[in-house]
Amino acid sequence: MIRVLVAGLGNMGQSHALAYHNDPAFQIVGLVNRSVPDLPEALRSYPLSHDYAEALERLKPDLVCVATYSDSHADYAVAAMEAGAHVFVEKPLATTVADAERVVATATRLNRKLVVGYILRHHPSWQRLIAEARDLGGPYVFRLNLNQQSSGPTWEVHKALMQTTPPIVDCGVHYVDVMCQITDAAPVEVRGMGLRLSDEIAPEMYNYGHFQVLFADGSCGWYEAGWGPMMSDTAFFVKDVVSPRGAVSIRMPESARSDDIDTHTKTSTLRIHRVGQGDEDLNMTDEPGHQALCDREQAFVARAIREDLDLGRHMTDAVRSLAICLAADESVRTGHPVKL
């Protein structure tokens, strides 16, 4: 049984903790959060600490789940590995490329498993989208966005996230990772723009942004992300991959809500358009929901540990997607393209 310590009990931390609770491969030995969280009944019996370093030293877990705010990911992950634990860390891996590389170097040096929370990699619909797009062949145009008309508690969560991470980085790493899996070509340049649309966030932060990324094989793509009550919920979830031979697209139902966490992963219908052959719609209504995807993700972590899986490519991809999104953030802030 894998003894696990969960650090950070927001939406994702609680979802991962529930995955551990329900999977006999794991035993939760402790939870860590700076404040006292409102936990679901299933998690209330586990011991709660407010001091990560103390809990890590006292409990000596086999695995640490890092689901805190992004600026602590690197330090928490390195501390866990130095203490003898494997690590699952929510995306993004870090807030700088140097820190991300430091985490990967630590995992390599200490022979620890490091899994980054790219939940779409465990989603059957996204796996199918990637496979169908690769079958069409490139070069590709990627058209991806995730805008959220957030208000109330969801807007409070977004404002907290923006204390360390802009929207184009937070979820952008997911969709850039999808681009990179499809094209397999090196990114060469990133161009970004953004705007601060609310006085409720720091003057140096922006809650709307988009960027374009160019790849060595001629592929190009854009990603757009905006958070807040002012955002439009029209065309808020665009997921298109276009090639000379056709396109693969995710089509959402009219009832989809932009601030619903399940909307971020549900696909409803996958449309495959082939030039000269028409369209094929694949019904995805029985796909896993958010919690089921977290369950799959942690089952992969257990398998990576038990079967000693080679995660070298996974770690390299995590650094690459982060580097692209951070380059986009740099481009937004400087007004200049960034070469990679």
Side-chain angles (χ1 to χ4, degrees):
M1 191 173 291
I2 300 168
R3 302 171 66 257
V4 58
L5 173 67
V6 181
L9 295 167
N11 288 333
M12 292 308 299
Q14 290 191 27
S15 294
H16 295 313
L18 287 170
Y20 300 131
H21 173 80
N22 292 319
D23 189 334
F26 298 100
Q27 176 191 359
I28 297 176
V29 295
L31 306 173
V32 178
N33 204 62
R34 289 184 299 184
S35 59
V36 177
D38 183 14
L39 295 175
E41 181 64 35
L43 301 178
R44 291 176 186 169
S45 63
Y46 293 111
L48 175 68
S49 171
H50 304 298
D51 187 328
Y52 174 68
E54 185 277 331
L56 186 62
E57 170 65 24
R58 172 171 49 85
L59 296 171
K60 297 178 171 53
D62 306 310
L63 170 70
V64 172
C65 170
V66 179
T68 52
Y69 287 122
S70 303
D71 57 345
S72 61
H73 285 185
D75 287 343
Y76 275 33
V78 168
M81 290 186 284
E82 295 282 5
H86 303 291
V87 168
F88 171 86
V89 57
E90 255 306 328
K91 56 75 187 167
L93 175 55
T95 54
T96 69
V97 174
D99 270 347
E101 291 174 339
R102 174 167 63 96
V103 177
V104 170
T106 302
T108 303
R109 173 172 56 87
L110 297 175
N111 194 28
R112 308 283 189 251
K113 299 304 177 188
L114 172 66
V115 177
V116 185
Y118 286 123
I119 197 169
L120 297 183
R121 286 189 168 219
H122 307 277
H123 195 304
S125 297
W126 283 91
Q127 292 167 345
R128 180 69 181 269
L129 179 143
I130 291 167
E132 294 290 349
R134 287 181 64 89
D135 185 61
L136 287 173
Y140 301 97
V141 173
F142 303 105
R143 304 173 64 241
L144 306 170
N145 77 353
L146 181 58
N147 293 319
Q148 297 178 60
Q149 191 182 84
S150 57
S151 59
T154 309
W155 178 225
E156 294 303 317
V157 168
H158 283 157
K159 286 188 289 185
L161 288 171
M162 284 186 286
Q163 292 177 21
T164 61
T165 310
I168 59 172
V169 176
D170 181 77
C171 283
V173 291
H174 280 309
Y175 301 110
V176 167
D177 182 56
V178 170
M179 295 183 195
C180 291
Q181 287 183 75
I182 292 171
T183 177
D184 250 346
V188 295
E189 185 175 309
V190 181
R191 306 164 182 171
M193 290 184 284
L195 194 62
R196 178 176 178 260
L197 295 171
S198 172
D199 292 336
E200 296 181 55
I201 60 176
E204 67 275 9
M205 182 54 72
Y206 54 98
N207 63 307
Y208 171 81
H210 70 263
F211 62 86
Q212 299 80 43
V213 56
L214 309 179
F215 293 89
D217 67 345
S219 296
C220 63
W222 59 259
Y223 175 70
E224 173 194 59
W227 293 341
M230 75 295 296
M231 291 304 302
S232 168
D233 63 0
T234 299
F236 69 88
F237 191 95
V238 176
K239 302 291 184 292
D240 282 338
V241 182
V242 184
S243 92
R245 295 172 57 194
V248 186
S249 308
I250 291 174
R251 301 172 69 85
M252 298 298 294
E254 290 296 325
S255 59
R257 290 174 41 240
S258 64
D259 65 343
D260 181 356
I261 193 168
D262 275 320
T263 298
H264 306 171
T265 51
K266 283 188 175 296
T267 60
S268 185
T269 302
L270 200 63
R271 173 163 291 183
I272 304 168
H273 168 69
R274 297 181 179 88
V275 174
Q277 300 179 46
D279 298 338
E280 177 186 4
D281 284 346
L282 305 179
N283 191 322
M284 299 293 175
T285 54
D286 60 347
E287 65 186 357
H290 173 75
Q291 185 58 53
L293 285 171
C294 290
D295 296 346
R296 291 182 181 213
E297 194 168 30
Q298 296 309 326
F300 173 78
V301 173
R303 189 163 71 86
I305 294 170
R306 288 180 165 176
E307 299 178 19
D308 191 24
L309 298 183
D310 183 354
L311 299 178
R313 173 66 188 268
H314 174 82
M315 293 188 291
T316 299
D317 286 351
V319 175
R320 177 176 61 174
S321 59
L322 176 64
I324 292 171
C325 290
L326 290 177
D329 179 53
E330 179 184 343
S331 181
V332 170
R333 296 178 187 279
T334 65
H336 300 292
V338 176
K339 298 289 186 181
L340 295 171

